Amino acid sequence: MAKGEGKVIAQNKKAGFDFAIEETIEAGIVLLGTEIKSARNGKVQIKDAFVRIRGGEAWISNMHISPYEQGNQFNHDPLRSRKLLLHKKQINELVGKSKVEGAAIVPLKMYLKDGYAKVLLGVGKGKKKYDKREDLKKKDAKRAIDRALKERSR
């Protein structure tokens, strides 16, 4: 199975708009029992999430996994930091790329692959306001062209 394939649980559509993604990396994620059950139900939100490197380990913060409905006292904190499973070489690579000014590591999507929860991380630079406007203009132009071609083929 290729990188980024599997049953998609959550997707960060805003990341493609806010960042120019240069590279993607697949990482495993350490989840508690009630977290994986809630994730399988699709109760995950990664819109505001980000990745930090602390003590030679990668951690994802601000990712919201809702408490499991059938859980009891063993339910988890929805916004806790979760450890990402990466090789040391990958972490060192991420550290080098994140040192560049304006660079960020953001989760693009979370999915299940062969029964394991995975996160697709994107390394990219933040877009300026004029870059975002340019992308919107291109998108609108493409939509207009597609609409015209569709009308013409009828």
Side-chain angles (χ1 to χ4, degrees):
M1 207 178 283
K3 185 167 53 171
E5 288 186 17
K7 181 188 175 224
V8 177
I9 298 170
Q11 200 161 8
N12 189 354
K13 295 177 183 175
K14 194 84 170 149
F17 184 71
D18 290 337
F19 298 94
I21 305 298
E22 297 164 359
E23 185 183 344
T24 59
I25 296 173
E26 183 180 68
I29 185 167
V30 178
L31 296 175
L32 299 174
T34 55
E35 286 177 327
I36 190 65
K37 288 179 180 183
S38 191
R40 287 181 193 277
N41 290 336
K43 307 282 181 157
V44 180
Q45 192 259 350
I46 60 172
K47 186 174 73 174
D48 299 326
F50 58 94
V51 177
R52 279 199 182 138
I53 311 293
R54 288 184 293 198
E57 296 177 335
W59 294 83
I60 189 166
S61 300
N62 234 21
M63 182 171 83
H64 187 276
I65 299 179
S66 297
Y68 185 57
E69 289 141 12
Q70 281 82 39
N72 49 18
Q73 68 199 31
F74 301 110
N75 253 338
H76 58 277
D77 177 27
L79 286 173
R80 77 178 184 90
S81 293
R82 294 162 180 93
K83 187 175 178 180
L84 294 174
L85 303 172
L86 291 164
H87 293 284
K88 191 63 121 181
K89 185 178 177 183
Q90 290 174 318
I91 292 172
N92 291 336
E93 205 174 290
L94 282 177
V95 168
K97 290 180 181 174
S98 67
K99 295 283 184 196
V100 178
E101 191 173 328
I105 308 165
V106 291
L108 301 176
K109 68 169 119 172
M110 183 175 176
Y111 53 94
L112 293 173
K113 183 176 176 182
D114 299 329
Y116 294 104
K118 303 280 184 178
V119 178
L120 187 67
L121 303 175
V123 180
K125 286 190 170 192
K127 288 184 184 177
K128 303 282 186 209
K129 202 175 239 183
Y130 57 85
D131 291 332
K132 293 178 187 180
R133 281 194 216 114
E134 191 72 30
D135 286 346
L136 284 175
K137 286 178 189 174
K138 286 179 186 175
K139 198 175 182 182
D140 288 342
K142 185 182 181 321
R143 195 176 297 139
I145 291 169
D146 290 344
R147 193 177 301 127
L149 287 174
K150 188 177 179 182
E151 286 295 321
R152 190 172 183 195
S153 67
R154 285 186 181 179

